Every structure is written in structure tokens, then in C-alpha cells.
Amino acid sequence: MKKFLNFAYILIAAGVLFACDGRRRVQIASPDGRTVISFATGDGLPVYSVDKDGGTVINPSQLGFSLSVGDLTAPFRIKKVTRASVDETWDQPWGEEVTVRNRFNEARIELQEVFGKKRLFRIVFRAFDEGIGFRYEFPEQPNLGAFEITDERTEFALAEDHPAWSIPAYRGEYYESLYEKSPVSRLDTVCVPLTMETASGKFIAIHEANLTDYAAMNLYPVDGSTVLRTDLTPWSNGIKVYAKTPFVSPWRTVTLADDLNGLVNSRIMLNLNEPCRIDDLSWIRPGKYVGIWWAIHQDRFTWSQGPRHGATTQNMKRYIDFAASHHLQGVLAEGWNKGWDGDWVSNGSDFRFSEACPDFDTEALSRYAATKGIALIGHHETGGATLNYESQLEEAFAFCSRLGIHSVKTGYVNALLDKKERHSSQYGVRHYRKVIETAARYHVMIDNHEPVMPTGLQRTYPNLMTQEGVRGQEYDAWSTDGGNPPEHTTIVPFTRGLAGPMDFTFGTFNFKNPVHPQTRVQSTIAKQLALYVVIYSPLQMASDVPESYENHPAFEFIEIVPVDWAQTIVLQGAIGDYVATARKDKHSEAWFLGAITDENARDLKLSLSVLDRDRKYVARIFRDDAQANWKTNPAAVVIEDMPVDAATVLDLSLAPGGGAALRIQPGE
Ligand code: NOJ
């Protein structure tokens, strides 16, 4: 109780003063006028609400914090409201589209304590056509220096009890859970992005942007209601955030989309991150890669040294040769360095990031890879021992830079970082940021596994290429529940995928799992191909072993599919059932299309009206054979060519757990 009394709730009971200066209500409309944010003082509490097309989406919802410094107390007065409007575009170095439009109306509302120390803070609201963003700012001021946030009290009072797709925040690790669908009121404490579908078939997604020096946001329903309240991942001592003015919170975002295409094409998260801080981007290159990864997860090779060590010079040369002869760009070397022998999850401090195992000749391999035009991808598994990693960080990336290694996959396998702090805590957020910034200085791209949930930092640091933070294909090698169900990949593009690129690592052609026969990739080959279009990442792995790909006609699709796009359009879909996505290649006039289904067979009719009206095209189609089925006949794939144009309505039959992948390029 005493502790509770020490916490001062800020932002409360401001009504009197708002009434005094007559500015109790501030409204911000989106440029198209459809979305309106209202800020008001309600019953003395500062609250905001959101309407779209005249209907309420978010009822009056509380804003504010609990702080441990005490005495930052209501009443507050609105000192100032500053308005701004922006309409600009910026180009992405890589992405799902090239040019991003950033168009919003903004109100920065400055509040000040009326009595006592008269401290200040601000709430900045931005209304976009696709939704809203808001954040808190604590300016530098004489009476507020260092402080601790013990709770953020931001709420999202949803107007309806929408069905939501979620993963739990504290049950399960690294965001690697299967998504569950349940009404908002029955959610556990869940991670963001949180995606909901309204009764009229529209979509709402709550997330955050620009998580830089703060804890990740989770949400829970207050007393079984539709009011979602913020739960920040704590440090081990229970504090949520250590702050010092001037200080800003991450942005809280609510995307309001008319359909799945609108959801995927919302750029609110990226627009609320800082512009690029890297001048020379020439070394940042999207691409496809292979590696010994799948064979290790299937227990055919090991990370540790010994007779089955995967990352040997000879083995890596074989993978480099394969990549070079199949138009791929990179080869990932997991288990190349010292530290894997023994229990590497418990002994993460043994990892050395610039010392190779004796049977891995780094110098020779980087020379060999260079002669073949292949990029060697390094691997920094830390076992969650971040202090050990940070003590070697400069040396580790200098080592990469010296050897011409421009990408590194990082990893943090351990329930806690340094056996103490959560990955999504402010501690974790600070660590990941440090790694990304250090890597940027040494011109190294990052593929981060076991991350904090992405929030769009790749706009500022485009060397942050892709991340895990999803239950990826590795579960199909060893999980005890049989592997990812076929519906999983129809959900993640609209949930985790809204947070940014995913290193899911598909590409299985051989579905046998000798070590765990009950577990397998629950997909057909055609669906594996389609995932290269449906799930976005600028680094994509062809995860199976070269022996599965050699001489397989369907591998052609993995060779030709791009990883960098000019435009993305979700043609059709239902979360948990099926998805059909079209993307236009950034470097040619070709379109690519991926369609996938859950465990049910499905016939789709897809209009190709996205194509240029004045052109004829040829579609090369990689589809399920009529007999294909993920359980009984996953490899039955048909490859055929078909003339198409913008008037074509394509009939696609997807097998249970199946899919179809198409390249559609100009031609007769
Ligand atoms: C878990 C990662 O997700 C996986 O890709 C990697 O192979 C292992 N950790 C080892 O780093």
C-alpha cells in the first residue's frame, strides 16, 4: 500500500483547468477526413477516442503513467496545442514498395501541472488516412530529470468485442507461439501487433513504432472488458522504464484498414520511425541464401565440433558452389565459431565471435566465396549472454568487415538475457539497438533471431534486414506438437508480419524427418514456393539441403523469385484460411503471385487486373497437382506456362496445405 501511495498517477483530474481555458476538447482529423481522434478531459482524466466514418472505433480511453519519482500530479492545464500537417514521400532502400507516402495531421498537446513543480509533458497525436499514432514527450525542464516509469496506463477501449489473433506475452518465448483467435475480452496478456477483425469485415491492428529506449508494449483486457490496457515488459526489479528528460515514448499505433490489403500496405509504423541514418547504402543488399541450418535442426549436422560438425571448410565450399550455380547470393555458416561445444544455451559466455573452429578456415572461405560472387553470412549466437557479446562487439564486426562479411545472423536462445532480463524489456531493447548501430558502422547487415518484436527501426537503420520473432519453419524439424499447422502461414502475414520482415526460412522440398518422424513441414512444395511471395523478407533462405534441390524443376521458382518489391497487393484472403498476394518486382516489369491455403483444399478465382492493360504476359505457374496433399503427396507439383493479361481471371486449385506460385512477365 505504501509503495502504491508513492506512485503518482500523472495526467489525472485535469478537467477543472481544461474547463478554465475553454480548450477541453482537441480534435485531429486524418487528411481524408475519415478518421478523427478526439482528446478530452472526460471525468477529470485525460482521454482520447477514435472515430472512423462516423462510427466509434475506440471509446474514450485513458492515457498516462505511474511514476516512482512522485508528485507529478493533476490537475494539469493545457499549456499549448501546436498543430502541423505533413504530406511527403520518401524512398525505401528495400521493401514491399519503393515510395512511401507520409501524410498526416498532428496536434501536440502540452500539459502542465497547475500546482507544485509545474512540470510539463506532451502528447503528440497524428491522424493518418490509415489510422493513428500517438506518443508521450517529456521535455527537458528544471523539475524533472531522471525518473522511472512503473506503469504506462495507456488504454485502447475497443468499441466492440472483436475477434483477435494473438500470442501470449509471458507464456512462451521469443514470440514463437501459434496464434490463437479469441474475443478481445478473453485475451491473456498478449503481444503486439494485435490484429482484430470487425463484424463488417474491416481490420484493426494495435502496435508500436520506434521502440528505441523503452520496454515493449503488451496488452491485457481490463476485468474481462474490451478495454485493453498497456503492460510494459519489466526489468527483473519490476521497473518498466528508466528515463531522463528529454525523453519520448515509442509511438502507439492503431491501423484501421478496410481490408487485408489496406492492413498490409499501412506504412504508419515506418512513417513513425526516424529517417535513414546511414549515408552509404551500397553495401546493403537484399538476397537469397542457403546454409547448413536445416540439416543441423534435423540433427544430420551439429553446431558443435566433432564428426558431424556442419560448418567445415569443405562443407561450406559445397554450399557456396551450390549457391553460385543457382543464382543465390549468400551462404550462412552456423556453428563456425568457438563456444558451441557443451551446453551452449547455459554457457553463452563461452562464445567467441572472432575465433573460428579449426576445421573452418575463415580466410580461405571468404576468398573462395568472393571468387564465386557469393556472400558469406556470419552467425553470432549468443545464448542470451549479451554482456559477453557486447564485450566483443567491436572486435566481432571488425573481424567481419576485414573478411568482407556483410551479413550476420544474430541469436539469443535463452529464456532470459544474461539469465536475468527479458528480451522485450528495456534492457533487451537497448542491447539490440547497440548491435544494429555497431553493425552499421562496420557495414554489416543483421538478421536477428530471438529479437524484441520489430517496430520499424529498419527505416533508420536499413542494415536491420530481417528478424525472427515468429514460430518459423525450424519447428517443423523438432517440435513435439507435429510442426506448424497449415493455417499458421495464413495468419502470420497479418499479425507478426505487420511488424516487419520475417526470417521464416521456408523452402522444404524433402518432407522426410528421420529424427522426428511425427513432426514435419505441413505443406506441399507449391505452397513452399508461394511463401516466398506471401511472407516478406529482404533476406530469404532456401532452407532445404542442396541434395533436395539439385535437378528439381520446381527450384527454378526459388532462383527467379525476387526479394525486393516495387509494389505489394493482397488480392484475396481470410486470416487463418487462405491468402493470395501479388508483388511487382523492383527491378523488372514482372509480377509474382503467391497463393496459400490452410488444411482445406480451395479453388480461387484471381483477377489479374493489377497487370498493365496494354500488355500481354506469360504466367509461369508452379501449382499443386490434382493429387497433391500436404499429408500424403506434398511433392506433386505441376509447372506450366499460360498466356495472361489484365482481363484474365485465373482459376487456381490449391491442395490441402497447398499453394501456387507464379511469375507473370511481359511476353507473347
Ligand atoms: C534459434 C534460431 O532461430 C535458429 O535459426 C538457429 O539455428 C539456432 N537458434 C541457433 O542459433
Side-chain angles (χ1 to χ4, degrees):
M1 187 61 181
K2 187 161 180 272
K3 198 171 167 210
F4 178 76
L5 288 175
N6 283 337
F7 297 159
Y9 289 151
I10 63 167
L11 294 175
I12 53 174
V16 181
L17 278 123
F18 285 2
C20 287
D21 70 7
R23 293 156 79 187
R24 298 180 58 212
R25 195 175 174 83
V26 179
Q27 286 202 321
I28 311 106
S30 60
D32 67 1
R34 290 179 65 194
T35 304
V36 179
I37 307 168
S38 303
F39 175 83
T41 56
D43 297 329
L45 292 171
V47 292
Y48 76 101
S49 58
V50 182
D51 288 15
K52 181 151 185 185
D53 297 332
T56 301
V57 182
I58 298 182
N59 284 319
S61 303
Q62 194 180 331
L63 295 160
F65 298 89
S66 301
L67 306 181
S68 59
V69 289
D71 291 333
L72 186 59
T73 44
F76 300 93
R77 73 182 181 96
I78 294 184
K79 203 178 166 213
K80 201 161 56 178
V81 177
T82 320
R83 289 189 179 264
S85 293
V86 167
D87 187 1
E88 62 183 12
T89 57
W90 56 278
D91 281 357
Q92 304 198 78
W94 48 261
E96 291 177 89
E97 68 177 353
V98 179
T99 302
V100 174
R101 187 170 187 186
N102 182 26
R103 186 163 81 122
F104 60 84
N105 292 326
E106 175 185 283
R108 175 176 270 104
I109 302 167
E110 186 158 292
L111 301 166
Q112 183 172 36
E113 287 177 310
V114 172
F115 304 117
K117 295 181 177 166
K118 302 210 164 160
R119 286 169 297 187
L120 295 168
F121 68 95
R122 305 181 194 119
I123 307 171
V124 186
F125 288 101
R126 286 187 184 171
F128 299 82
D129 290 347
E130 327 123 67
I132 69 153
F134 61 90
R135 77 169 172 195
Y136 303 92
E137 297 180 346
F138 295 88
E140 201 165 5
Q141 51 194 296
N143 293 329
L144 188 62
F147 63 102
E148 291 151 13
I149 296 173
T150 52
D151 247 326
E152 180 181 322
R153 303 183 64 80
T154 305
E155 291 180 350
F156 304 86
L158 292 151
E160 305 284 338
D161 200 5
H162 308 294
W165 286 266
S166 69
I167 52 170
Y170 298 107
R171 287 183 298 113
E173 285 161 350
Y174 328 123
Y175 311 100
E176 293 176 5
S177 302
L178 291 173
Y179 280 83
E180 284 173 16
K181 186 180 178 184
S182 76
V184 163
S185 61
R186 283 201 254 130
L187 290 173
D188 191 353
T189 302
V190 297
C191 303
V192 291
L194 179 70
T195 302
M196 293 157 269
E197 184 167 0
T198 71
S200 57
K202 300 192 170 177
F203 295 90
I204 304 172
I206 303 178
H207 189 34
E208 58 182 325
N210 200 350
L211 173 58
T212 294
D213 188 12
Y214 204 82
M217 179 172 77
N218 311 297
L219 297 170
Y220 65 95
V222 179
D223 300 329
S225 71
T226 61
V227 177
L228 291 175
R229 183 177 289 162
T230 299
D231 163 278
L232 298 177
T233 303
W235 288 74
S236 51
N237 63 5
I239 298 290
K240 303 291 172 56
V241 174
Y242 290 92
K244 185 172 181 297
T245 58
F247 187 77
V248 293
S249 75
W251 292 89
R252 277 68 191 88
T253 63
V254 185
T255 300
L256 303 172
D258 292 337
D259 51 27
L260 290 175
N261 184 50
L263 194 62
V264 164
N265 277 298
S266 165
R267 302 285 171 249
I268 291 179
M269 178 185 74
L270 287 175
N271 278 326
L272 290 174
N273 275 271
E274 306 295 322
C276 182
R277 290 198 190 150
I278 302 176
D279 291 334
D280 169 18
L281 297 170
S282 59
W283 51 277
I284 296 181
R285 296 200 185 131
K288 288 168 284 189
Y289 67 99
V290 284
I292 49 179
W293 174 86
W294 186 241
I296 298 177
H297 281 262
Q298 284 204 329
D299 229 10
R300 287 183 259 170
F301 292 143
T302 58
W303 286 293
S304 56
Q305 299 185 75
R308 286 186 297 124
H309 185 214
T312 63
T313 307
Q314 200 191 357
N315 215 4
M316 297 317 298
K317 280 190 172 169
R318 199 162 62 84
Y319 276 75
I320 292 169
D321 290 344
F322 176 81
S325 55
H326 290 276
H327 316 291
L328 306 175
Q329 290 74 44
V331 173
L332 167 66
E334 293 209 10
W336 68 279
N337 60 330
K338 292 194 178 153
W340 289 96
D341 304 332
D343 180 357
W344 55 269
V345 179
S346 303
N347 305 320
S349 294
D350 290 347
F351 279 117
R352 293 289 160 267
F353 302 101
S354 40
E355 285 176 51
C357 295
D359 54 358
F360 183 93
D361 186 338
T362 324
E363 308 269 345
L365 277 169
S366 62
R367 274 197 308 273
Y368 188 73
T371 61
K372 299 265 176 172
I374 294 298
L376 211 51
I377 304 177
H379 185 220
H380 293 173
E381 172 57 60
T382 65
T386 52
L387 292 174
N388 174 56
Y389 187 34
E390 287 188 19
S391 72
Q392 300 176 52
L393 214 51
E394 296 286 338
E395 188 191 344
F397 287 120
F399 177 80
C400 291
S401 171
R402 189 166 58 76
L403 290 159
I405 295 172
H406 287 294
S407 340
V408 165
K409 170 174 169 178
T410 47
Y412 298 86
V413 179
N414 204 308
L416 295 172
L417 301 178
D418 289 308
K419 307 206 165 122
K420 205 168 166 203
E421 306 296 346
R422 292 177 192 276
H423 294 60
S424 56
S425 66
Q426 186 183 25
Y427 178 87
V429 169
R430 284 177 174 172
H431 170 77
Y432 295 120
R433 175 73 173 215
K434 184 170 188 169
V435 173
I436 295 159
E437 288 182 6
T438 310
R441 278 195 279 111
Y442 288 96
H443 289 191
V444 175
M445 295 175 269
I446 294 293
D447 166 5
N448 186 27
H449 279 226
E450 296 83 34
V452 58
M453 182 58 76
T455 61
L457 238 51
Q458 70 270 23
R459 178 176 177 192
T460 315
Y461 288 100
N463 65 316
L464 175 56
M465 304 298 284
T466 189
Q467 307 201 61
E468 196 180 36
V470 65
R471 191 177 137 129
Q473 200 129 318
E474 64 190 2
Y475 279 76
D476 300 334
W478 42 253
S479 76
T480 50
D481 56 10
N484 294 326
E487 69 165 18
H488 184 53
T489 42
T490 71
I491 300 173
V492 294
F494 307 111
T495 49
R496 160 64 181 84
L498 304 181
M502 276 184 278
D503 193 34
F504 197 95
T505 58
F506 23 79
T508 300
F509 275 29
N510 178 351
F511 295 85
K512 291 201 181 72
N513 191 344
V515 181
H516 301 282
Q518 299 316 314
T519 300
R520 55 173 289 192
V521 180
Q522 299 185 18
S523 163
T524 63
I525 285 187
K527 178 171 178 177
Q528 289 294 291
L529 302 179
L531 288 171
Y532 287 88
V533 183
V534 170
I535 291 184
Y536 171 64
S537 175
L539 295 181
Q540 290 280 27
M541 185 173 208
S543 60
D544 210 333
V545 298
E547 303 85 281
S548 304
Y549 293 143
E550 287 290 11
N551 302 320
H552 199 305
F555 192 68
E556 179 192 344
F557 189 79
I558 298 182
E559 292 182 332
I560 61 177
V561 68
V563 287
D564 200 7
W565 305 100
Q567 201 184 339
T568 293
I569 299 175
V570 178
L571 300 173
Q572 283 182 24
I575 302 179
D577 295 336
Y578 76 105
V579 192
T581 301
R583 301 192 196 257
K584 180 164 178 302
D585 182 14
K586 185 169 166 181
H587 303 289
S588 78
E589 289 308 304
W591 282 81
F592 286 76
L593 197 154
I596 60 169
T597 181
D598 59 3
E599 69 284 2
N600 298 310
R602 212 170 289 272
D603 291 331
L604 299 184
K605 282 197 178 305
L606 297 176
S607 157
L608 297 185
S609 59
V610 295
L611 301 178
D612 218 331
R613 281 183 194 286
D614 313 323
R615 272 193 158 143
K616 297 281 174 212
Y617 293 81
V618 177
R620 188 150 178 80
I621 305 174
F622 299 72
R623 63 166 173 86
D624 293 321
D625 178 78
Q627 308 307 316
N629 184 311
W630 76 264
K631 264 191 196 154
T632 53
N633 195 5
V637 58
V638 175
I639 305 171
E640 61 193 2
D641 291 333
M642 181 181 154
V644 295
D645 60 27
T648 305
V649 177
L650 207 61
D651 284 309
L652 284 181
S653 293
L654 313 182
L662 285 82
R663 179 193 60 191
I664 305 173
Q665 67 176 5
E668 282 303 319

